[in-house]
Short mmCIF file of all heavy atoms in Angstrom, two decimals:
data_model
loop_
_atom_site.label_atom_id
_atom_site.label_comp_id
_atom_site.label_asym_id
_atom_site.label_seq_id
_atom_site.Cartn_x
_atom_site.Cartn_y
_atom_site.Cartn_z
N MET A 822 0.84 -1.20 0.00
CA MET A 822 0.00 0.00 0.00
C MET A 822 0.87 1.25 0.00
O MET A 822 1.93 1.28 0.60
CB MET A 822 -0.90 -0.01 1.24
CG MET A 822 -1.85 1.16 1.28
SD MET A 822 -2.86 1.11 2.77
CE MET A 822 -3.71 -0.46 2.57
N ALA A 823 0.41 2.24 -0.69
CA ALA A 823 1.13 3.51 -0.72
C ALA A 823 0.13 4.63 -0.44
O ALA A 823 -1.08 4.40 -0.39
CB ALA A 823 1.79 3.72 -2.08
N ASN A 824 0.65 5.79 -0.27
CA ASN A 824 -0.21 6.93 -0.01
C ASN A 824 -0.04 8.00 -1.08
O ASN A 824 1.05 8.22 -1.57
CB ASN A 824 0.11 7.55 1.36
CG ASN A 824 -0.24 6.61 2.50
OD1 ASN A 824 0.59 5.79 2.89
ND2 ASN A 824 -1.45 6.70 2.98
N CYS A 825 -1.15 8.64 -1.40
CA CYS A 825 -1.09 9.76 -2.33
C CYS A 825 -0.20 10.85 -1.75
O CYS A 825 -0.38 11.24 -0.60
CB CYS A 825 -2.51 10.30 -2.56
SG CYS A 825 -2.55 11.84 -3.49
N PRO A 826 0.74 11.34 -2.54
CA PRO A 826 1.63 12.40 -2.03
C PRO A 826 0.91 13.73 -1.84
O PRO A 826 1.44 14.62 -1.18
CB PRO A 826 2.71 12.49 -3.11
CG PRO A 826 2.06 11.98 -4.35
CD PRO A 826 1.08 10.92 -3.89
N ALA A 827 -0.26 13.86 -2.41
CA ALA A 827 -0.98 15.12 -2.29
C ALA A 827 -1.97 15.11 -1.12
O ALA A 827 -2.03 16.05 -0.35
CB ALA A 827 -1.72 15.43 -3.59
N CYS A 828 -2.74 14.04 -0.98
CA CYS A 828 -3.80 14.05 0.01
C CYS A 828 -3.65 12.93 1.04
O CYS A 828 -4.48 12.79 1.93
CB CYS A 828 -5.17 13.94 -0.66
SG CYS A 828 -5.51 12.32 -1.36
N GLU A 829 -2.60 12.10 0.88
CA GLU A 829 -2.33 11.01 1.83
C GLU A 829 -3.37 9.91 1.78
O GLU A 829 -3.40 9.04 2.66
CB GLU A 829 -2.23 11.55 3.26
CG GLU A 829 -1.20 12.64 3.43
CD GLU A 829 0.21 12.17 3.11
OE1 GLU A 829 0.51 11.01 3.38
OE2 GLU A 829 0.99 12.96 2.57
N ALA A 830 -4.21 9.88 0.78
CA ALA A 830 -5.17 8.77 0.65
C ALA A 830 -4.40 7.47 0.44
O ALA A 830 -3.34 7.46 -0.19
CB ALA A 830 -6.10 9.02 -0.53
N GLU A 831 -4.95 6.40 0.95
CA GLU A 831 -4.32 5.10 0.78
C GLU A 831 -4.62 4.54 -0.60
O GLU A 831 -5.78 4.45 -1.00
CB GLU A 831 -4.81 4.16 1.87
CG GLU A 831 -4.35 4.59 3.25
CD GLU A 831 -4.84 3.63 4.31
OE1 GLU A 831 -5.73 2.80 4.01
OE2 GLU A 831 -4.35 3.72 5.45
N LEU A 832 -3.60 4.16 -1.31
CA LEU A 832 -3.75 3.62 -2.66
C LEU A 832 -3.33 2.16 -2.63
O LEU A 832 -2.23 1.83 -2.19
CB LEU A 832 -2.88 4.41 -3.64
CG LEU A 832 -3.15 5.92 -3.65
CD1 LEU A 832 -2.16 6.63 -4.56
CD2 LEU A 832 -4.57 6.21 -4.09
N LEU A 833 -4.21 1.31 -3.10
CA LEU A 833 -3.96 -0.13 -2.99
C LEU A 833 -3.04 -0.64 -4.09
O LEU A 833 -3.22 -0.30 -5.26
CB LEU A 833 -5.30 -0.88 -3.06
CG LEU A 833 -6.29 -0.53 -1.96
CD1 LEU A 833 -7.58 -1.32 -2.16
CD2 LEU A 833 -5.69 -0.82 -0.58
N ASP A 834 -2.10 -1.45 -3.72
CA ASP A 834 -1.17 -2.02 -4.69
C ASP A 834 -1.90 -2.73 -5.82
O ASP A 834 -1.50 -2.67 -6.97
CB ASP A 834 -0.24 -3.04 -4.01
CG ASP A 834 0.55 -2.41 -2.88
OD1 ASP A 834 -0.05 -1.68 -2.08
OD2 ASP A 834 1.76 -2.67 -2.79
N ASP A 835 -2.97 -3.42 -5.47
CA ASP A 835 -3.68 -4.22 -6.46
C ASP A 835 -4.21 -3.39 -7.62
O ASP A 835 -4.44 -3.89 -8.72
CB ASP A 835 -4.85 -4.95 -5.81
CG ASP A 835 -4.36 -6.08 -4.91
OD1 ASP A 835 -3.16 -6.41 -4.99
OD2 ASP A 835 -5.17 -6.62 -4.16
N ASP A 836 -4.43 -2.11 -7.38
CA ASP A 836 -4.96 -1.25 -8.43
C ASP A 836 -3.88 -0.85 -9.43
O ASP A 836 -4.18 -0.28 -10.47
CB ASP A 836 -5.57 0.00 -7.83
CG ASP A 836 -6.85 -0.32 -7.06
OD1 ASP A 836 -7.43 -1.38 -7.32
OD2 ASP A 836 -7.25 0.48 -6.21
N TYR A 837 -2.64 -1.11 -9.11
CA TYR A 837 -1.54 -0.59 -9.93
C TYR A 837 -0.57 -1.68 -10.36
O TYR A 837 0.56 -1.39 -10.73
CB TYR A 837 -0.81 0.50 -9.15
CG TYR A 837 -1.74 1.62 -8.75
CD1 TYR A 837 -2.32 1.63 -7.49
CD2 TYR A 837 -2.07 2.63 -9.65
CE1 TYR A 837 -3.20 2.64 -7.12
CE2 TYR A 837 -2.95 3.63 -9.30
CZ TYR A 837 -3.51 3.63 -8.04
OH TYR A 837 -4.39 4.63 -7.69
N THR A 838 -1.03 -2.91 -10.36
CA THR A 838 -0.12 -4.01 -10.67
C THR A 838 0.33 -4.00 -12.12
O THR A 838 1.36 -4.55 -12.46
CB THR A 838 -0.79 -5.36 -10.38
OG1 THR A 838 -2.07 -5.37 -10.98
CG2 THR A 838 -0.94 -5.55 -8.88
N ASP A 839 -0.47 -3.40 -13.00
CA ASP A 839 -0.10 -3.37 -14.42
C ASP A 839 0.68 -2.12 -14.80
O ASP A 839 1.00 -1.91 -15.96
CB ASP A 839 -1.35 -3.43 -15.29
CG ASP A 839 -2.04 -4.78 -15.16
OD1 ASP A 839 -1.34 -5.77 -14.85
OD2 ASP A 839 -3.26 -4.85 -15.36
N MET A 840 0.95 -1.29 -13.82
CA MET A 840 1.61 -0.03 -14.11
C MET A 840 3.13 -0.19 -14.04
O MET A 840 3.66 -1.18 -13.56
CB MET A 840 1.16 1.03 -13.10
CG MET A 840 -0.35 1.12 -12.97
SD MET A 840 -1.15 1.67 -14.50
CE MET A 840 -1.15 3.43 -14.20
N GLU A 841 3.81 0.84 -14.54
CA GLU A 841 5.26 0.84 -14.50
C GLU A 841 5.73 2.14 -13.83
O GLU A 841 5.00 3.13 -13.79
CB GLU A 841 5.83 0.76 -15.91
CG GLU A 841 5.48 -0.53 -16.62
CD GLU A 841 6.03 -0.57 -18.04
OE1 GLU A 841 6.66 0.43 -18.46
OE2 GLU A 841 5.83 -1.59 -18.70
N VAL A 842 6.96 2.11 -13.38
CA VAL A 842 7.53 3.33 -12.81
C VAL A 842 7.50 4.42 -13.86
O VAL A 842 7.88 4.22 -15.00
CB VAL A 842 8.97 3.08 -12.33
CG1 VAL A 842 9.63 4.39 -11.91
CG2 VAL A 842 8.98 2.08 -11.17
N GLY A 843 7.02 5.58 -13.46
CA GLY A 843 6.92 6.70 -14.39
C GLY A 843 5.53 6.90 -14.94
O GLY A 843 5.21 7.95 -15.48
N ASP A 844 4.67 5.88 -14.80
CA ASP A 844 3.29 6.04 -15.26
C ASP A 844 2.58 7.07 -14.39
O ASP A 844 2.78 7.13 -13.18
CB ASP A 844 2.55 4.71 -15.17
CG ASP A 844 2.89 3.78 -16.32
OD1 ASP A 844 3.60 4.23 -17.25
OD2 ASP A 844 2.47 2.62 -16.29
N GLN A 845 1.74 7.85 -15.03
CA GLN A 845 1.01 8.88 -14.30
C GLN A 845 -0.45 8.50 -14.19
O GLN A 845 -1.06 8.04 -15.15
CB GLN A 845 1.17 10.22 -15.02
CG GLN A 845 2.61 10.70 -15.02
CD GLN A 845 2.78 12.05 -15.67
OE1 GLN A 845 1.90 12.51 -16.40
NE2 GLN A 845 3.89 12.70 -15.41
N VAL A 846 -1.01 8.70 -13.02
CA VAL A 846 -2.40 8.36 -12.77
C VAL A 846 -3.04 9.49 -11.97
O VAL A 846 -2.36 10.31 -11.38
CB VAL A 846 -2.52 7.04 -11.98
CG1 VAL A 846 -1.94 5.89 -12.80
CG2 VAL A 846 -1.83 7.14 -10.64
N ASP A 847 -4.35 9.51 -11.99
CA ASP A 847 -5.07 10.47 -11.16
C ASP A 847 -5.39 9.81 -9.83
O ASP A 847 -5.94 8.72 -9.78
CB ASP A 847 -6.38 10.90 -11.84
CG ASP A 847 -6.12 11.72 -13.08
OD1 ASP A 847 -5.17 12.51 -13.06
OD2 ASP A 847 -6.85 11.55 -14.06
N CYS A 848 -5.11 10.50 -8.75
CA CYS A 848 -5.49 10.00 -7.45
C CYS A 848 -7.00 9.87 -7.39
O CYS A 848 -7.71 10.80 -7.75
CB CYS A 848 -5.01 10.95 -6.36
SG CYS A 848 -5.67 10.56 -4.75
N PRO A 849 -7.52 8.72 -6.98
CA PRO A 849 -8.98 8.54 -6.91
C PRO A 849 -9.64 9.43 -5.87
O PRO A 849 -10.85 9.63 -5.92
CB PRO A 849 -9.13 7.05 -6.57
CG PRO A 849 -7.84 6.66 -5.96
CD PRO A 849 -6.78 7.51 -6.59
N GLU A 850 -8.87 9.94 -4.95
CA GLU A 850 -9.45 10.77 -3.90
C GLU A 850 -9.41 12.25 -4.25
O GLU A 850 -10.43 12.93 -4.22
CB GLU A 850 -8.69 10.55 -2.59
CG GLU A 850 -8.95 9.19 -1.97
CD GLU A 850 -10.40 9.07 -1.52
OE1 GLU A 850 -10.99 10.06 -1.09
OE2 GLU A 850 -10.95 7.96 -1.62
N CYS A 851 -8.25 12.77 -4.58
CA CYS A 851 -8.13 14.22 -4.80
C CYS A 851 -7.94 14.57 -6.27
O CYS A 851 -7.90 15.73 -6.62
CB CYS A 851 -6.96 14.77 -3.99
SG CYS A 851 -5.33 14.21 -4.55
N GLU A 852 -7.82 13.54 -7.13
CA GLU A 852 -7.68 13.72 -8.57
C GLU A 852 -6.42 14.47 -8.96
O GLU A 852 -6.31 14.99 -10.06
CB GLU A 852 -8.93 14.40 -9.15
CG GLU A 852 -10.18 13.57 -8.92
CD GLU A 852 -11.40 14.19 -9.58
OE1 GLU A 852 -11.30 15.30 -10.10
OE2 GLU A 852 -12.45 13.52 -9.58
N GLU A 853 -5.50 14.55 -8.05
CA GLU A 853 -4.19 15.11 -8.39
C GLU A 853 -3.47 14.14 -9.31
O GLU A 853 -3.60 12.93 -9.18
CB GLU A 853 -3.38 15.32 -7.11
CG GLU A 853 -2.11 16.11 -7.31
CD GLU A 853 -2.38 17.60 -7.44
OE1 GLU A 853 -3.36 18.08 -6.83
OE2 GLU A 853 -1.63 18.27 -8.14
N LEU A 854 -2.73 14.67 -10.26
CA LEU A 854 -1.94 13.80 -11.13
C LEU A 854 -0.68 13.37 -10.39
O LEU A 854 0.13 14.19 -9.96
CB LEU A 854 -1.55 14.54 -12.41
CG LEU A 854 -0.85 13.68 -13.47
CD1 LEU A 854 -1.78 12.59 -13.98
CD2 LEU A 854 -0.39 14.56 -14.63
N ILE A 855 -0.58 12.07 -10.21
CA ILE A 855 0.56 11.52 -9.48
C ILE A 855 1.29 10.53 -10.36
O ILE A 855 0.72 9.99 -11.31
CB ILE A 855 0.13 10.88 -8.15
CG1 ILE A 855 -0.90 9.78 -8.39
CG2 ILE A 855 -0.41 11.94 -7.19
CD1 ILE A 855 -1.34 9.08 -7.10
N GLN A 856 2.53 10.28 -10.03
CA GLN A 856 3.39 9.46 -10.87
C GLN A 856 3.99 8.35 -10.02
O GLN A 856 4.41 8.58 -8.90
CB GLN A 856 4.49 10.33 -11.44
CG GLN A 856 5.50 9.59 -12.28
CD GLN A 856 6.46 10.57 -12.97
OE1 GLN A 856 6.03 11.51 -13.58
NE2 GLN A 856 7.74 10.33 -12.83
N ILE A 857 4.00 7.16 -10.58
CA ILE A 857 4.57 6.03 -9.86
C ILE A 857 6.09 6.16 -9.82
O ILE A 857 6.73 6.26 -10.86
CB ILE A 857 4.15 4.71 -10.51
CG1 ILE A 857 2.63 4.54 -10.41
CG2 ILE A 857 4.87 3.53 -9.84
CD1 ILE A 857 2.11 3.29 -11.12
N SER A 858 6.62 6.19 -8.63
CA SER A 858 8.07 6.33 -8.49
C SER A 858 8.72 5.04 -8.03
O SER A 858 9.94 4.93 -7.97
CB SER A 858 8.39 7.47 -7.52
OG SER A 858 7.83 7.21 -6.25
N GLY A 859 7.90 4.04 -7.69
CA GLY A 859 8.47 2.76 -7.28
C GLY A 859 7.37 1.72 -7.23
O GLY A 859 6.20 2.03 -7.04
N LEU A 860 7.74 0.46 -7.44
CA LEU A 860 6.73 -0.61 -7.46
C LEU A 860 6.88 -1.60 -6.30
O LEU A 860 5.93 -2.25 -5.91
CB LEU A 860 6.81 -1.37 -8.78
CG LEU A 860 6.35 -0.58 -10.00
CD1 LEU A 860 6.58 -1.38 -11.28
CD2 LEU A 860 4.88 -0.22 -9.90
N SER A 861 8.05 -1.72 -5.77
CA SER A 861 8.22 -2.65 -4.66
C SER A 861 9.16 -2.06 -3.61
O SER A 861 10.37 -2.23 -3.74
CB SER A 861 8.74 -3.99 -5.17
OG SER A 861 9.95 -3.82 -5.87
N PRO A 862 8.64 -1.35 -2.65
CA PRO A 862 7.20 -1.17 -2.44
C PRO A 862 6.62 -0.10 -3.36
O PRO A 862 7.36 0.74 -3.90
CB PRO A 862 7.12 -0.70 -0.99
CG PRO A 862 8.41 0.03 -0.78
CD PRO A 862 9.42 -0.73 -1.60
N LEU A 863 5.31 -0.16 -3.54
CA LEU A 863 4.63 0.84 -4.34
C LEU A 863 4.83 2.21 -3.73
O LEU A 863 4.70 2.41 -2.52
CB LEU A 863 3.14 0.50 -4.39
CG LEU A 863 2.28 1.37 -5.33
CD1 LEU A 863 2.66 1.12 -6.79
CD2 LEU A 863 0.80 1.07 -5.12
N ASP A 864 5.17 3.18 -4.57
CA ASP A 864 5.38 4.52 -4.08
C ASP A 864 4.99 5.52 -5.15
O ASP A 864 5.09 5.24 -6.34
CB ASP A 864 6.86 4.69 -3.70
CG ASP A 864 7.07 5.94 -2.88
OD1 ASP A 864 6.10 6.42 -2.26
OD2 ASP A 864 8.21 6.44 -2.84
N PHE A 865 4.53 6.67 -4.73
CA PHE A 865 4.09 7.69 -5.66
C PHE A 865 4.76 9.02 -5.36
O PHE A 865 5.15 9.30 -4.24
CB PHE A 865 2.57 7.90 -5.57
CG PHE A 865 1.76 6.73 -6.05
CD1 PHE A 865 1.38 5.74 -5.15
CD2 PHE A 865 1.39 6.61 -7.37
CE1 PHE A 865 0.65 4.64 -5.58
CE2 PHE A 865 0.65 5.52 -7.80
CZ PHE A 865 0.27 4.53 -6.91
N GLU A 866 4.85 9.83 -6.41
CA GLU A 866 5.27 11.21 -6.22
C GLU A 866 4.34 12.09 -7.06
O GLU A 866 3.67 11.61 -7.96
CB GLU A 866 6.71 11.39 -6.67
CG GLU A 866 6.90 11.10 -8.15
CD GLU A 866 8.38 11.10 -8.57
OE1 GLU A 866 9.24 11.20 -7.69
OE2 GLU A 866 8.63 11.00 -9.76
N LEU A 867 4.32 13.36 -6.76
CA LEU A 867 3.53 14.27 -7.56
C LEU A 867 4.10 14.33 -8.97
O LEU A 867 5.30 14.49 -9.14
CB LEU A 867 3.52 15.66 -6.94
CG LEU A 867 2.70 15.82 -5.67
CD1 LEU A 867 2.88 17.24 -5.12
CD2 LEU A 867 1.23 15.55 -5.93
N ALA A 868 3.23 14.21 -9.96
CA ALA A 868 3.69 14.31 -11.33
C ALA A 868 3.86 15.78 -11.69
O ALA A 868 3.04 16.61 -11.34
CB ALA A 868 2.67 13.66 -12.27
N SER A 869 4.91 16.06 -12.42
CA SER A 869 5.14 17.43 -12.83
C SER A 869 5.94 17.46 -14.11
O SER A 869 7.05 16.96 -14.16
CB SER A 869 5.89 18.18 -11.73
OG SER A 869 6.20 19.48 -12.18
N ASP A 870 5.34 18.00 -15.15
CA ASP A 870 6.08 18.13 -16.40
C ASP A 870 7.09 19.26 -16.31
O ASP A 870 8.03 19.33 -17.07
CB ASP A 870 5.11 18.44 -17.54
CG ASP A 870 4.21 17.25 -17.79
OD1 ASP A 870 4.62 16.13 -17.49
OD2 ASP A 870 3.09 17.45 -18.27
N ASP A 871 6.85 20.17 -15.41
CA ASP A 871 7.62 21.40 -15.35
C ASP A 871 8.60 21.33 -14.19
O ASP A 871 8.21 21.36 -13.04
CB ASP A 871 6.66 22.58 -15.19
CG ASP A 871 7.17 23.80 -15.92
OD1 ASP A 871 8.40 23.99 -15.93
OD2 ASP A 871 6.35 24.54 -16.45
N GLU A 872 9.85 21.23 -14.49
CA GLU A 872 10.84 21.07 -13.44
C GLU A 872 11.19 22.40 -12.78
O GLU A 872 11.81 22.45 -11.74
CB GLU A 872 12.11 20.47 -14.03
CG GLU A 872 11.86 19.14 -14.74
CD GLU A 872 11.94 17.97 -13.77
OE1 GLU A 872 12.73 18.04 -12.82
OE2 GLU A 872 11.17 17.02 -13.95
N ASP A 873 10.81 23.49 -13.39
CA ASP A 873 11.28 24.79 -12.92
C ASP A 873 10.55 25.27 -11.68
O ASP A 873 11.14 25.53 -10.65
CB ASP A 873 11.11 25.84 -14.03
CG ASP A 873 12.04 25.55 -15.18
OD1 ASP A 873 12.89 24.66 -15.02
OD2 ASP A 873 11.91 26.19 -16.21
N ASP A 874 9.24 25.41 -11.79
CA ASP A 874 8.48 25.94 -10.67
C ASP A 874 7.54 24.87 -10.16
O ASP A 874 6.35 24.88 -10.42
CB ASP A 874 7.68 27.17 -11.11
CG ASP A 874 8.61 28.31 -11.52
OD1 ASP A 874 9.33 28.79 -10.65
OD2 ASP A 874 8.60 28.68 -12.70
N GLU A 875 8.07 23.96 -9.44
CA GLU A 875 7.32 22.77 -9.09
C GLU A 875 6.05 23.06 -8.29
O GLU A 875 5.04 22.45 -8.47
CB GLU A 875 8.19 21.82 -8.29
CG GLU A 875 9.38 21.33 -9.10
CD GLU A 875 10.22 20.37 -8.28
OE1 GLU A 875 9.79 19.23 -8.10
OE2 GLU A 875 11.28 20.79 -7.82
N ASP A 876 6.12 24.02 -7.43
CA ASP A 876 5.01 24.23 -6.52
C ASP A 876 3.92 25.13 -7.08
O ASP A 876 2.78 25.07 -6.68
CB ASP A 876 5.50 24.84 -5.22
CG ASP A 876 6.31 23.84 -4.42
OD1 ASP A 876 6.08 22.62 -4.61
OD2 ASP A 876 7.16 24.25 -3.65
N ASP A 877 4.29 25.99 -8.01
CA ASP A 877 3.36 27.03 -8.40
C ASP A 877 2.40 26.62 -9.51
O ASP A 877 1.26 27.05 -9.53
CB ASP A 877 4.12 28.26 -8.88
CG ASP A 877 4.85 28.91 -7.72
OD1 ASP A 877 4.43 28.68 -6.57
OD2 ASP A 877 5.83 29.62 -7.96
N GLU A 878 2.86 25.80 -10.44
CA GLU A 878 2.13 25.71 -11.69
C GLU A 878 1.50 24.36 -11.97
O GLU A 878 1.00 24.12 -13.03
CB GLU A 878 3.08 26.06 -12.84
CG GLU A 878 3.62 27.47 -12.72
CD GLU A 878 4.54 27.80 -13.89
OE1 GLU A 878 5.42 26.98 -14.19
OE2 GLU A 878 4.35 28.85 -14.49
N ASP A 879 1.54 23.47 -11.03
CA ASP A 879 1.02 22.14 -11.28
C ASP A 879 -0.41 22.15 -11.81
O ASP A 879 -0.78 21.39 -12.67
CB ASP A 879 1.04 21.31 -10.00
CG ASP A 879 2.45 20.81 -9.71
OD1 ASP A 879 3.33 21.09 -10.54
OD2 ASP A 879 2.66 20.17 -8.68
N GLU A 880 -1.22 23.02 -11.25
CA GLU A 880 -2.63 22.96 -11.58
C GLU A 880 -2.99 23.84 -12.77
O GLU A 880 -4.09 23.83 -13.24
CB GLU A 880 -3.45 23.40 -10.36
CG GLU A 880 -3.20 22.46 -9.19
CD GLU A 880 -4.01 22.90 -7.97
OE1 GLU A 880 -4.82 23.82 -8.13
OE2 GLU A 880 -3.81 22.32 -6.90
N VAL A 881 -2.04 24.63 -13.25
CA VAL A 881 -2.33 25.53 -14.35
C VAL A 881 -2.13 24.87 -15.69
O VAL A 881 -2.88 25.09 -16.61
CB VAL A 881 -1.43 26.78 -14.25
CG1 VAL A 881 -1.69 27.72 -15.43
CG2 VAL A 881 -1.68 27.50 -12.92
N HIS A 882 -1.14 24.03 -15.78
CA HIS A 882 -0.77 23.46 -17.07
C HIS A 882 -1.67 22.33 -17.51
O HIS A 882 -2.64 22.52 -18.17
CB HIS A 882 0.67 22.98 -17.05
CG HIS A 882 1.64 24.12 -17.05
ND1 HIS A 882 1.72 25.01 -18.08
CD2 HIS A 882 2.52 24.52 -16.13
CE1 HIS A 882 2.64 25.92 -17.81
NE2 HIS A 882 3.15 25.65 -16.62
N ASP A 883 -1.44 21.15 -17.06
CA ASP A 883 -1.94 19.94 -17.69
C ASP A 883 -3.46 19.80 -17.72
O ASP A 883 -4.01 18.81 -17.33
CB ASP A 883 -1.38 18.74 -16.93
CG ASP A 883 0.11 18.89 -16.78
OD1 ASP A 883 0.75 19.28 -17.75
OD2 ASP A 883 0.61 18.62 -15.67
N LEU A 884 -4.13 20.82 -18.22
CA LEU A 884 -5.59 20.77 -18.23
C LEU A 884 -6.15 20.72 -19.64
O LEU A 884 -7.31 20.96 -19.87
CB LEU A 884 -6.16 22.00 -17.51
CG LEU A 884 -5.81 22.09 -16.02
CD1 LEU A 884 -6.34 23.39 -15.44
CD2 LEU A 884 -6.39 20.91 -15.26
N ASP A 885 -5.31 20.39 -20.61
CA ASP A 885 -5.72 20.46 -21.99
C ASP A 885 -6.99 19.66 -22.27
O ASP A 885 -7.85 20.06 -23.01
CB ASP A 885 -4.61 19.91 -22.88
CG ASP A 885 -3.38 20.79 -22.77
OD1 ASP A 885 -3.54 21.96 -22.42
OD2 ASP A 885 -2.28 20.29 -23.02
N ASP A 886 -7.11 18.53 -21.64
CA ASP A 886 -8.23 17.65 -21.93
C ASP A 886 -9.54 18.12 -21.29
O ASP A 886 -10.60 17.69 -21.66
CB ASP A 886 -7.94 16.24 -21.44
CG ASP A 886 -6.75 15.66 -22.18
OD1 ASP A 886 -6.49 16.12 -23.31
OD2 ASP A 886 -6.10 14.77 -21.62
N GLU A 887 -9.42 19.00 -20.32
CA GLU A 887 -10.61 19.32 -19.54
C GLU A 887 -11.13 20.73 -19.76
O GLU A 887 -12.20 21.07 -19.29
CB GLU A 887 -10.27 19.13 -18.06
CG GLU A 887 -9.85 17.69 -17.77
CD GLU A 887 -9.43 17.52 -16.33
OE1 GLU A 887 -9.69 18.43 -15.54
OE2 GLU A 887 -8.81 16.49 -16.02
N GLU A 888 -10.39 21.54 -20.48
CA GLU A 888 -10.83 22.92 -20.67
C GLU A 888 -11.68 23.06 -21.92
O GLU A 888 -11.37 23.79 -22.84
CB GLU A 888 -9.62 23.85 -20.74
CG GLU A 888 -8.92 23.97 -19.42
CD GLU A 888 -7.79 25.00 -19.48
OE1 GLU A 888 -7.57 25.55 -20.58
OE2 GLU A 888 -7.15 25.22 -18.46
N GLU A 889 -12.78 22.37 -21.93
CA GLU A 889 -13.62 22.37 -23.13
C GLU A 889 -14.34 23.70 -23.32
O GLU A 889 -14.68 24.09 -24.43
CB GLU A 889 -14.63 21.25 -23.03
CG GLU A 889 -13.94 19.88 -22.93
CD GLU A 889 -14.96 18.82 -22.53
OE1 GLU A 889 -16.14 19.17 -22.43
OE2 GLU A 889 -14.55 17.67 -22.32
N ASP A 890 -14.57 24.41 -22.26
CA ASP A 890 -15.39 25.61 -22.34
C ASP A 890 -14.65 26.82 -22.89
O ASP A 890 -15.26 27.75 -23.38
CB ASP A 890 -15.91 25.98 -20.95
CG ASP A 890 -16.80 24.88 -20.41
OD1 ASP A 890 -17.34 24.14 -21.22
OD2 ASP A 890 -16.94 24.79 -19.18
N GLU A 891 -13.34 26.81 -22.80
CA GLU A 891 -12.62 28.04 -23.06
C GLU A 891 -12.07 28.16 -24.47
O GLU A 891 -11.47 29.16 -24.81
CB GLU A 891 -11.47 28.18 -22.07
CG GLU A 891 -11.98 28.17 -20.63
CD GLU A 891 -10.85 28.47 -19.65
OE1 GLU A 891 -9.84 29.01 -20.09
OE2 GLU A 891 -11.02 28.14 -18.47
N GLU A 892 -12.30 27.18 -25.31
CA GLU A 892 -11.68 27.21 -26.61
C GLU A 892 -12.36 28.18 -27.58
O GLU A 892 -11.79 28.62 -28.53
CB GLU A 892 -11.67 25.82 -27.21
CG GLU A 892 -10.78 24.87 -26.42
CD GLU A 892 -10.71 23.51 -27.09
OE1 GLU A 892 -11.31 23.37 -28.17
OE2 GLU A 892 -10.08 22.60 -26.53
N ASP A 893 -13.60 28.52 -27.32
CA ASP A 893 -14.35 29.34 -28.27
C ASP A 893 -14.47 30.79 -27.84
O ASP A 893 -15.28 31.54 -28.34
CB ASP A 893 -15.76 28.76 -28.44
CG ASP A 893 -15.72 27.40 -29.10
OD1 ASP A 893 -14.79 27.17 -29.91
OD2 ASP A 893 -16.58 26.58 -28.81
N LEU A 894 -13.67 31.22 -26.92
CA LEU A 894 -13.82 32.57 -26.37
C LEU A 894 -13.54 33.64 -27.40
O LEU A 894 -14.04 34.75 -27.32
CB LEU A 894 -12.88 32.75 -25.18
CG LEU A 894 -13.30 31.97 -23.94
CD1 LEU A 894 -12.28 32.24 -22.82
CD2 LEU A 894 -14.68 32.41 -23.48
N ASP A 895 -12.77 33.34 -28.42
CA ASP A 895 -12.38 34.37 -29.39
C ASP A 895 -13.48 34.67 -30.39
O ASP A 895 -13.43 35.67 -31.08
CB ASP A 895 -11.14 33.92 -30.16
CG ASP A 895 -9.92 33.95 -29.25
OD1 ASP A 895 -9.97 34.64 -28.22
OD2 ASP A 895 -8.94 33.29 -29.56
N GLN A 896 -14.48 33.87 -30.46
CA GLN A 896 -15.45 34.04 -31.53
C GLN A 896 -16.69 34.77 -31.09
O GLN A 896 -17.06 34.72 -29.95
CB GLN A 896 -15.85 32.67 -32.06
CG GLN A 896 -14.63 31.97 -32.64
CD GLN A 896 -14.97 30.56 -33.10
OE1 GLN A 896 -16.11 30.14 -32.93
NE2 GLN A 896 -14.02 29.87 -33.64
ZN1 ZN B 1428 -4.75 12.24 -3.51
#
């Protein structure tokens, strides 16, 4: 068992047996994007594409799939 690095929710190993280190998943509790950093034991870290400002921009960037409402603002 591992814990979400964002909300400390318990994440069951059985849910991630097909995953590999580096795979990114959404925490089922807080929906934060987290990344598998180890498999034995299972461990997670916060996923971040941006190495520069780790704390500031996590929630601003990776929303491409979910920002359906804002694409037509120019018209
Ligand atoms: Zn979480």
Side-chain angles (χ1 to χ4, degrees):
M822 183 181 300
N824 293 89
C825 171
C828 72
E829 304 298 326
E831 294 180 347
L832 304 175
L833 299 179
D834 301 45
D835 288 349
D836 291 340
Y837 302 96
T838 50
D839 293 334
M840 309 296 269
E841 296 179 358
V842 173
D844 282 353
Q845 296 182 343
V846 298
D847 292 322
C848 170
E850 289 295 326
C851 67
E852 299 185 353
E853 190 77 31
L854 186 64
I855 57 179
Q856 177 173 311
I857 296 176
S858 60
L860 290 175
S861 57
L863 187 67
D864 194 22
F865 293 91
E866 62 187 7
L867 287 176
S869 175
D870 293 334
D871 215 324
E872 303 273 326
D873 293 351
D874 295 296
E875 297 181 75
D876 290 335
D877 292 338
E878 299 181 311
D879 282 358
E880 298 180 7
V881 178
H882 287 298
D883 310 316
L884 296 176
D885 296 336
D886 296 336
E887 300 176 13
E888 290 185 358
E889 299 168 4
D890 297 336
E891 301 187 18
E892 294 184 3
D893 294 330
L894 289 180
D895 289 341
Q896 298 176 357

